[in-house]
Amino acid sequence: MLVTIPVLVIGLAFSKVGPLKETAGGLELGNSIMFHQIAQWILHVDPDTVSVDLNPIAFAGWLGLFVTALNLLPASQLDGGHVIYALFGRRHRMISRLVVLGCVLMVVIPYALGKTFCTAGCSGR
């Protein structure tokens, strides 16, 4: 995290901001709270209302935030799993299984309800 945030700040400083393009191609990344706040601070605009063409350095910073968030999941040998074990002892197995089940359900339930993960730029749906 100590490396990720400066990399993200430097990368966002070199990123290009343009008008929001609804039908443009490209990769649409999700915004974490931290990414959103840093982007707003560096770019001086709301990143949800404009198109931000990320510099490769900024993309590396976004990936760093994503990997850090995954590492904090309270499951298995991840750091979050160790924290849960330290806090709850033997009950950590049940908590880890519930977290994994919750992650699976967040994918399965929308598909079962006929929802799609596709955004405005998708074709054929």
Side-chain angles (χ1 to χ4, degrees), residues 86-108:
L87 291 174
F88 298 106
R90 295 281 176 207
R91 292 181 283 169
H92 80 282
R93 291 177 196 244
M94 179 188 62
I95 294 169
S96 293
R97 289 180 180 144
L98 288 174
V99 167
V100 171
L101 177 66
C103 290
V104 169
L105 289 176
M106 284 192 286
V107 173
V108 172

Side-chain angles (χ1 to χ4, degrees):
M1 192 62 118
L2 294 175
V3 174
T4 296
I5 292 176
V7 166
L8 182 62
V9 168
I10 292 167
L12 283 171
F14 290 113
S15 296
K16 295 180 181 144
V17 178
L20 187 62
K21 301 175 240 172
E22 292 290 332
T23 59
L27 182 63
E28 185 174 323
L29 303 175
N31 283 343
S32 65
I33 295 171
M34 185 173 287
F35 180 82
H36 188 273
Q37 292 301 316
I38 292 174
Q40 200 167 19
W41 173 56
I42 297 297
L43 301 173
H44 305 293
V45 294
D46 183 7
D48 292 332
T49 61
V50 295
S51 287
V52 179
D53 295 329
L54 287 182
N55 182 285
I57 297 170
F59 182 68
W62 182 90
L63 280 176
L65 289 177
F66 181 71
V67 169
T68 301
L70 285 179
N71 190 38
L72 292 175
L73 284 174
S76 187
Q77 293 295 314
L78 300 171
D79 288 341
H82 289 102
V83 170
I84 292 298
Y85 181 75
L87 291 174
F88 298 106
R90 295 281 176 207
R91 292 181 283 169
H92 80 282
R93 291 177 196 244
M94 179 188 62
I95 294 169
S96 293
R97 289 180 180 144
L98 288 174
V99 167
V100 171
L101 177 66
C103 290
V104 169
L105 289 176
M106 284 192 286
V107 173
V108 172
I109 289 176
Y111 277 119
L113 295 175
K115 303 291 182 189
T116 180
F117 296 106
C118 191
T119 58
C122 295
S123 61
R125 292 189 182 164

